[in-house]
Amino acid sequence: MEQFTLPTRMRNIIYTLVGIGVLSLIMGVVNVMGAEEAEHHHAVQRLWGNILINGLFFFGIALMGTFFMAVQYAAESAWAVTVKRVFEAVSQYVYVGALVLLVVFAAGAMHLHHLYHWMDPNLYIEFLADGSLNPEYDEIIAGKSAFLNQPFFWARALLFMGVYIWFTRRFRKRSLEEDMSGGTSLHYNNVRDAAIFLVFFGFTSMVASWDWIMSIDTHWFSTLFGWYVFSGWWISAMVVFLLLVLYLKSKGLMQQVNESHVHDLGKWMFAVSFLWSYLFFSQFMLIWYSDIPEEVTYYIARIDHYRWLFWGMFAVNFIFPMLFLMDRDNKRNKGYLVTIGFIILFGHWLDTFLLVVPGTQHADWHFGAFEIGLMLGFAGLFLFVVTRALSKAPVVVKSHPFLDESLHHEIH
Amino acid sequence: MAGKTIFGMYDDDGTLMTGAAALIDKGLHIKDAYTPFPVHGLDRVLGVKWTRLAQCAFIYGLIGAILALSGFWFFMISDWPMNIGGKPNGVLYENLPAFIPITFEFTVLCAAHGMAITYLLRNWTLPGVKARNPHPRTTDDHFCIEISTEENNNFSEEDINSLLKETGTVEIFERA
Amino acid sequence: MHSEAAIRKPLILGDKDYHQITEDVCAPVEGKANRLWYIAFSIALIVALWGIGCILYTIGRGIGVWGLNTTVGWAWDITNFVWWVGIGHAGTLISAVLLLFRQRWRMAINRSAEAMTIFAVMMAALFPGIHMGRIWMAYWVLPVPNTFGSLWVNFNSPLLWDVFAISTYFSVSLVFWYIGLIPDFATIRDRSQKALPKFIYSTLSFGWTGNVKAWIRFEEVSLVLAGLATPLVFSVHSIVSMDFATSVIPGWHTTIFPPYFVAGAIFSGFAMVQTLLLMVRKVVSLEAYITRKHIEYMNIVIVITGSMVGIAYLSELFISWYSGVEYEQYAFLNRATGPYFWAYWAMMTCNVVTPQLFWFAKIRKSFVMSFILSLFVNTGMWFERFVIIVTSLHRDYIPANWSMFHPTFVDIGIFIGTIGIFFVLFLLYARVFPVLALNELKSILKISGENFKKQQH
């Protein structure tokens, strides 16, 4: 039986990362407490904004663990069976990830921060008590209040997260059971669950992205936004799967995973990068081309104040995978995959940064030790959860109707 | 010694694979094989090199992309700059988003057709070319290996014939 | 060697060997057509001739013979164009995307699906052509040196992007299809006894030999062309959608259009493939190759893409309200409750509601239901384009300009006519081309054939 135990070196790395994260968080809090009146709001936005960025980024990756596994079931695909435990392990972060997001939302509801502009109740009051017009009244946001209101927002968030977690638990539980019992009945249950999950996720991931991200720029709207966020999560998750598989292989585990499996993961990384770039371009080009004020402000804010970060992020996430993963041999080359993987993983973290920060810190933004530190801290937390899940079960499933087919997987 | 070509026919891709491997083990050199569909792994058995058509496609695509972009620069920026829909054509990069779709299409066009033409030429499959497969059933359900006596000087014709028979051929024939 | 899990259903039924596959697929090409074929062909031909008549009438008299007016300047022509292009997406999707995903069931349907693609794109290209009015000036869309100073075509225009997208798509699909056909033509060539068929298929097969290196190149070319065709499929319908989405017309300008058009194209294309294949498998007796399992897989794709289209409809509807832009809001209200409400609800019913029936395994596996529902989808997708185009245009920013669109007999004749031409071409194809990819089917016989699967397990 192949069992993963966390090597001391990796454990130390994880603890160091978490340590850096805790220090950065303290730094952020101190920064808020020490800030002068004028700076206070900004420091708060920076602190909570970064927690939200990391909350979204890693929760998204975890969700994609469940999503990608469900896709494999629904598509009757076999090749990925040998690496299925990695998807499962990644998905186990949903609990912590959901918690982080809920903390951010709760803090917003308590007005500890102002990331979600629409949570400000003043915007909805047209007339003040004395009968005069409320200068803070926002007609557009008030028009959205049937959707953007606290009770409905919380109901949606709790429902979505609850259902995602419920499915993740079921897949994991059945997977561990299947190791013991074998047979095909559990498999067919998984196939059925996968179909239901995909339908639910397909719709709710879109709504979730409106709720949790698009509503930051409260006035702005884009119908493509949900699929754009979705593809960003997906590519980040593909990179994480690949890095974990290569790591486990380097530790002498997962010997059943051959070059063809790695090649296939590499292909996915390439293809989903293309998908993400396509959606980025579709959204950007249509808004740029039509140039109508209610939409284009979103990109003007990013291009005026975040020019290098914005274009750099796109260039990295598009050009790197495109240029270096097009060649067949590179998709089997560990060095290439790891290097490109880390670069675009950071690239997509930057994408999340650009989803949140321009709407919350506007022109006066920061990117420094605090941002990097907190990101590393969350990465440590993520790795802690994922490696723990990995060590709880054999790294390759012991029984699955498609296991044999996957073990014989061979492509040119 | 005048060169002769001996053909061994199999009626199954499995026997073809094991047969070809056995013959090569004995030191025979197999010139080529004709099959009704791609038999995976046969290239490795016969030691045929993998094709570099994909690299060609990349180069054709690159040429397409460069052509398209320089075309835009010439048509829209240099030769007759037009301000259409508030999209000034002063410099190429300012208007790049509008040029991406055709650049992409033209890249694919050049890559696909360039590669297809190269493929047809390399295989020498063109209108009017005569087929060179040794037996009509190699496009139906038979698998044929081609052995040249010239390349196998240390074997006599009889040797080759008997070796072929041992591997389970259904028919052996030869051509001068 | 490859191994296939026991729980996978066989894709080739009955006791087949390599030779039997050749026999089965070549039978319709070598034999005589049955009566059913002649009846279908005659009907299609009559309809096609009527359509050609209407087209010639349009070219002779000008597009004033259509029902267009100054407010609704685009109507059936563009609706039909987008409908046909959408249908034309399934072929390359099946042969390219499913090849990359290594879906073996693709092999029984890709040849016909690609033929359908090529014919559908031809029908599509017809519409912008005749809409130009003076079709003999059609070459003006190309950046050719000309006599008007050096005034070039406008590369900023999505309509020009479309010219490049459609012509690239058409020519690449044709090449992809033909390269796959060459070895199969060679099979027919080597079987034919009479001089004339032998000559024809010798010419068509380009002297294919089938040696090892040729097959290596063949597989590499297929794979790379698939790799190129996959983003191409996405790009083509995205660019078609940009004809609308780059504008500032409410209901047209929405960022989800590119991926949503692609999903809709796959949806309608698969429905058309379903319609055609359910007929083909009967007419040319290929029940052992186009099995219930194939139909079920197709239905699964239909229900997935149908759901994506449904999600896109709902998000468009929601965002139009959420945006707070009154024109956006009105455009969608007008779609659902305005004078064209019937088109909107026909679209919703056929595209969102009825395909959901495929969640039931019984319906998904039924040939009759698959056929009926595929017709529903074909209809629904035509209405979708009609809704997007006509209902967005007929009530524009100035209420004084509001008007309605009434198709004339020419509009109707051309549309019906293209269906006729399409079927004429497809029926001819089914008689002279190998309708299944012989070489590919043979390569999966030992993996997915029923008799071989039984031996293994």
Side-chain angles (χ1 to χ4, degrees):
Chain A
M1 190 168 89
E2 274 203 307
Q3 195 73 39
F4 170 72
T5 42
L6 191 61
T8 334
R9 193 160 154 250
M10 192 61 187
R11 202 182 60 208
N12 291 341
I13 292 175
I14 291 175
Y15 286 165
T16 316
L17 288 174
V18 173
I20 294 173
V22 172
L23 280 178
S24 307
L25 197 63
I26 294 171
M27 196 173 101
V29 175
V30 169
N31 196 18
V32 169
M33 306 231 271
E36 291 176 23
E37 190 64 30
E39 290 291 309
H40 184 259
H41 172 75
H42 192 262
V44 167
Q45 294 292 84
R46 188 177 169 193
L47 171 67
W48 284 101
N50 276 285
I51 299 176
L52 178 62
I53 292 165
N54 291 300
L56 288 168
F57 184 66
F58 291 103
F59 183 61
I61 291 175
L63 278 184
M64 286 295 152
T66 311
F67 165 77
F68 199 64
M69 193 159 52
V71 168
Q72 305 304 325
Y73 276 118
E76 299 180 9
S77 121
W79 69 274
V81 171
T82 45
V83 288
K84 180 170 167 274
R85 277 284 144 82
V86 172
F87 308 155
E88 268 171 36
V90 168
S91 74
Q92 294 307 302
Y93 181 78
V94 283
Y95 308 97
V96 182
L99 190 69
V100 173
L101 283 182
L102 288 177
V103 168
V104 178
F105 301 156
M110 290 186 280
H111 305 295
L112 292 177
H113 61 71
H114 199 80
L115 295 178
Y116 296 106
H117 181 54
W118 58 269
M119 283 187 176
D120 183 350
N122 278 332
L123 303 170
Y124 305 92
I125 304 165
E126 198 169 356
F127 299 103
L128 293 176
D130 58 5
S132 63
L133 275 174
N134 177 9
E136 282 184 50
Y137 174 69
D138 189 318
E139 199 188 334
I140 295 173
I141 296 178
K144 303 181 191 211
S145 63
F147 179 75
L148 289 181
N149 61 66
Q150 295 257 5
F152 196 17
F153 173 85
W154 279 97
R156 285 193 302 267
L158 291 174
L159 173 75
F160 296 172
M161 287 174 176
V163 174
Y164 298 160
I165 287 174
W166 189 69
F167 274 105
T168 307
R169 273 184 83 91
R170 276 164 79 92
F171 283 129
R172 174 69 171 181
K173 213 175 117 223
R174 287 215 194 100
S175 172
L176 298 180
E177 255 174 59
E178 206 175 18
D179 267 5
M180 305 296 154
S181 66
T184 54
S185 66
L186 285 171
H187 175 75
Y188 286 118
N189 286 342
N190 274 333
V191 173
R192 190 202 54 217
D193 272 14
I196 301 170
F197 173 76
L198 288 175
V199 172
F200 183 81
F201 188 67
F203 188 66
T204 57
S205 64
M206 198 157 189
V207 180
S209 73
W210 298 335
D211 273 347
W212 305 342
I213 312 176
M214 197 167 85
S215 76
I216 292 171
D217 297 274
T218 315
H219 285 181
W220 184 74
F221 56 90
S222 166
T223 38
L224 185 55
F225 193 76
W227 289 353
Y228 172 72
V229 170
F230 172 86
S231 66
W233 283 348
W234 192 0
I235 174 63
S236 315
M238 287 321 302
V239 175
V240 170
F241 299 152
L242 190 74
L243 292 176
L244 283 171
V245 168
L246 290 177
Y247 172 73
L248 290 173
K249 271 183 79 69
S250 75
K251 292 285 163 239
L253 294 158
M254 282 195 142
Q255 289 313 312
Q256 299 93 321
V257 175
N258 58 31
E259 274 207 324
S260 295
H261 293 104
V262 174
H263 188 181
D264 269 343
L265 283 168
K267 281 183 189 170
W268 270 107
M269 197 161 121
F270 176 72
V272 184
S273 285
F274 209 114
L275 177 75
W276 177 88
S277 312
Y278 160 71
L279 294 176
F280 175 94
F281 178 74
S282 297
Q283 179 170 278
F284 172 75
M285 197 276 289
L286 289 177
I287 290 177
W288 169 86
Y289 201 106
S290 304
D291 204 16
I292 55 180
E294 51 265 48
E295 287 182 344
V296 82
T297 46
Y298 183 80
Y299 284 110
I300 289 180
R302 277 152 183 81
I303 292 171
D304 278 1
H305 305 300
Y306 298 77
R307 175 165 301 203
W308 296 108
L309 204 58
F310 183 70
W311 291 122
M313 179 278 292
F314 177 67
V316 164
N317 291 341
F318 170 61
I319 294 170
F320 271 78
M322 210 51 35
L323 227 50
F324 296 106
L325 292 182
M326 194 177 312
D327 190 64
R328 170 194 170 272
D329 294 341
N330 290 355
K331 287 196 269 271
R332 294 177 170 229
N333 181 320
K334 210 178 144 184
Y336 262 108
L337 290 172
V338 172
T339 317
I340 303 295
F342 272 114
I343 291 174
I344 60 177
L345 193 61
F346 181 64
H348 283 280
W349 184 89
L350 279 181
D351 181 32
T352 320
F353 182 84
L354 283 163
L355 291 175
V356 172
V357 172
T360 55
Q361 296 178 31
H362 310 289
D364 185 22
W365 57 281
H366 294 273
F367 186 81
F370 168 67
E371 277 76 10
I372 298 282
L374 203 64
M375 177 190 76
L376 294 177
F378 271 96
L381 180 65
F382 178 79
L383 280 177
F384 176 78
V385 175
V386 172
T387 48
R388 232 171 78 96
L390 273 176
S391 63
K392 278 192 181 160
V395 286
V396 177
V397 291
K398 288 202 292 190
S399 163
H400 191 293
F402 289 135
L403 181 59
D404 187 57
E405 196 176 326
S406 182
L407 291 175
H408 288 86
H409 185 48
E410 192 197 332
I411 50 169
H412 172 71
Chain B
M1 169 176 145
K4 252 190 188 171
T5 312
I6 303 176
F7 297 97
M9 294 270 273
Y10 298 89
D11 63 353
D12 185 75
D13 46 332
T15 31
L16 165 79
M17 288 283 278
T18 47
L23 291 174
I24 285 169
D25 267 354
K26 299 246 166 65
L28 261 178
H29 180 259
I30 298 174
K31 196 175 170 198
D32 209 341
Y34 301 88
T35 57
F37 59 85
V39 178
H40 290 238
L42 188 61
D43 51 309
R44 257 168 281 168
V45 172
L46 299 189
V48 179
K49 269 199 207 138
W50 199 258
T51 168
R52 284 166 301 174
L53 276 168
Q55 282 91 322
C56 297
F58 180 77
I59 294 165
Y60 294 127
L62 205 62
I63 294 172
I66 293 168
L67 268 179
L69 284 173
S70 29
F72 291 136
W73 175 80
F74 176 72
F75 297 135
M76 299 295 286
I77 311 292
S78 147
D79 196 43
W80 189 302
M82 281 186 286
N83 184 332
I84 300 164
K87 287 166 185 63
N89 288 311
V91 274
L92 187 71
Y93 70 82
E94 271 188 0
N95 217 11
L96 202 58
F99 297 150
I100 296 291
I102 300 187
T103 308
F104 173 80
E105 297 301 327
F106 204 67
T107 306
V108 171
L109 186 82
C110 292
H113 290 300
M115 184 180 58
I117 291 166
T118 315
Y119 162 77
L120 293 177
L121 287 174
R122 291 291 290 138
N123 265 357
W124 203 244
T125 43
L126 294 165
V129 172
K130 264 188 113 71
R132 302 175 305 276
N133 50 333
H135 194 286
R137 287 198 78 165
T138 58
T139 55
D140 179 1
D141 60 344
H142 278 41
F143 305 79
C144 179
I145 56 172
E146 179 179 349
I147 296 166
S148 157
T149 50
E150 262 183 353
E151 292 171 355
N152 294 293
N153 283 327
N154 40 348
F155 292 91
S156 71
E157 259 184 72
E158 292 73 42
D159 283 347
I160 297 175
N161 274 323
S162 64
L163 281 173
L164 270 173
K165 251 182 216 122
E166 276 170 34
T167 58
T169 48
V170 289
E171 193 186 335
I172 296 169
F173 57 96
E174 45 190 63
R175 237 178 253 169
Chain C
M1 279 307 281
H2 289 283
S3 121
E4 189 174 275
I7 60 166
R8 284 196 200 279
K9 293 247 164 30
L11 294 173
I12 301 172
L13 300 179
D15 192 20
K16 303 284 180 195
D17 57 18
Y18 295 136
H19 183 63
Q20 194 56 43
I21 295 181
T22 315
E23 289 286 337
D24 288 347
V25 178
C26 293
V29 180
E30 291 162 350
K32 282 211 159 37
N34 57 18
R35 237 174 71 189
L36 200 65
W37 186 88
Y38 278 107
I39 296 170
F41 187 76
S42 312
I43 298 172
L45 195 64
I46 293 167
V47 178
L49 289 174
W50 173 244
I52 292 170
C54 289
I55 292 168
L56 293 175
Y57 181 65
T58 303
I59 294 172
R61 295 287 307 277
I63 52 170
V65 297
W66 293 353
L68 302 178
N69 54 53
T70 46
T71 308
V72 187
W74 273 6
W76 274 43
D77 47 345
I78 305 299
T79 304
N80 299 338
F81 162 72
V82 182
W83 188 68
W84 278 119
V85 176
I87 287 170
H89 272 63
T92 308
L93 186 101
I94 288 171
S95 41
V97 180
L98 299 186
L99 174 85
L100 296 184
F101 280 121
R102 296 190 295 268
Q103 298 292 312
R104 294 196 183 105
W105 56 276
R106 147 192 83 88
M107 292 167 184
I109 50 177
N110 59 355
R111 180 65 48 74
S112 297
E114 281 175 63
M116 182 204 74
T117 285
I118 287 158
F119 304 143
V121 176
M122 282 159 71
M123 294 307 103
L126 191 73
F127 285 98
I130 53 177
H131 197 176
M132 287 175 187
R134 288 177 284 176
I135 195 170
W136 52 95
M137 301 291 192
Y139 69 94
W140 282 11
V141 300
L142 300 174
V144 282
N146 53 57
T147 51
F148 313 102
S150 53
L151 178 64
W152 301 103
V153 287
N154 177 15
F155 285 97
N156 283 333
S157 163
L159 298 181
L160 191 70
W161 305 348
D162 234 2
V163 172
F164 280 84
I166 301 288
S167 47
T168 302
Y169 184 61
F170 178 72
S171 64
V172 172
S173 298
L174 192 66
V175 166
F176 197 6
W177 185 55
Y178 202 83
I179 283 181
L181 269 167
I182 290 174
D184 294 351
F185 279 141
T187 304
I188 305 182
R189 168 197 73 199
D190 289 343
R191 283 167 55 88
S192 44
Q193 308 295 332
K194 288 186 200 133
L196 184 68
K198 185 138 197 122
F199 173 74
I200 292 172
Y201 287 107
S202 292
T203 315
L204 287 174
S205 64
F206 288 8
W208 172 263
T209 25
N211 61 338
V212 180
K213 190 78 185 208
W215 280 120
I216 291 180
R217 294 196 187 107
F218 176 84
E219 290 212 284
E220 186 78 348
V221 164
S222 307
L223 205 63
V224 177
L225 275 181
L228 287 168
T230 302
L232 184 63
V233 172
F234 275 76
S235 78
V236 172
H237 224 60
S238 299
I239 289 176
V240 170
S241 83
M242 287 165 191
D243 290 346
F244 308 104
T246 49
S247 73
V248 291
I249 292 174
W252 282 13
H253 175 68
T254 172
T255 49
I256 207 170
F257 255 31
Y260 143 59
F261 263 52
V262 173
I266 298 166
F267 179 54
S268 67
F270 267 76
M272 190 54 111
V273 173
Q274 191 78 290
T275 313
L276 291 176
L277 281 182
L278 283 166
M279 294 195 280
V280 165
R281 71 190 284 279
K282 279 280 165 219
V283 174
V284 289
S285 320
L286 293 171
E287 286 97 335
Y289 302 95
I290 305 169
T291 69
R292 210 174 276 281
K293 195 69 194 164
H294 289 88
I295 301 299
E296 191 187 351
Y297 280 133
M298 304 266 288
N299 286 334
I300 291 173
V301 176
I302 290 179
V303 72
I304 292 171
T305 48
S307 303
M308 284 171 73
V309 168
I311 289 174
Y313 288 163
L314 293 179
S315 66
E316 259 192 323
L317 196 65
F318 170 77
I319 295 284
S320 72
W321 167 80
Y322 176 88
S323 71
V325 181
E326 58 179 324
Y327 306 107
E328 266 315 304
Q329 291 173 343
Y330 179 73
F332 281 84
L333 188 72
N334 183 43
R335 275 185 191 181
T337 61
Y340 285 113
F341 76 97
W342 45 269
Y344 183 79
W345 293 109
M347 156 188 117
M348 277 292 185
T349 316
C350 297
N351 290 350
V352 183
V353 182
T354 52
Q356 302 301 325
L357 291 173
F358 283 141
W359 287 108
F360 301 103
K362 251 211 171 104
I363 295 177
R364 198 161 68 216
K365 288 176 183 164
S366 148
F367 293 121
V368 180
M369 283 309 287
S370 302
F371 189 73
I372 296 173
L373 289 179
S374 75
L375 293 178
F376 265 93
V377 175
N378 287 326
T379 319
M381 286 308 287
W382 189 87
F383 274 111
E384 180 201 292
R385 279 62 178 255
F386 181 80
V387 165
I388 291 173
I389 292 161
V390 176
T391 58
S392 301
L393 282 179
H394 85 122
R395 291 192 166 172
D396 62 5
Y397 289 106
I398 308 170
N401 283 349
W402 289 5
S403 85
M404 295 288 285
F405 172 80
H406 302 285
T408 63
F409 80 95
V410 189
D411 281 302
I412 300 168
I414 295 178
F415 174 55
I416 307 286
T418 50
I419 298 177
I421 303 173
F422 175 78
F423 272 96
V424 165
L425 293 170
F426 195 83
L427 286 167
L428 282 176
Y429 148 83
R431 290 282 302 123
V432 294
F433 282 52
V435 292
L436 300 182
L438 277 172
N439 61 76
E440 288 189 290
L441 275 177
K442 287 176 188 168
S443 72
I444 62 160
L445 177 66
K446 285 195 174 172
I447 304 169
S448 302
E450 192 181 18
N451 45 349
F452 286 93
K453 274 188 90 81
K454 272 192 196 137
Q455 283 167 23
Q456 269 176 13
H457 302 289

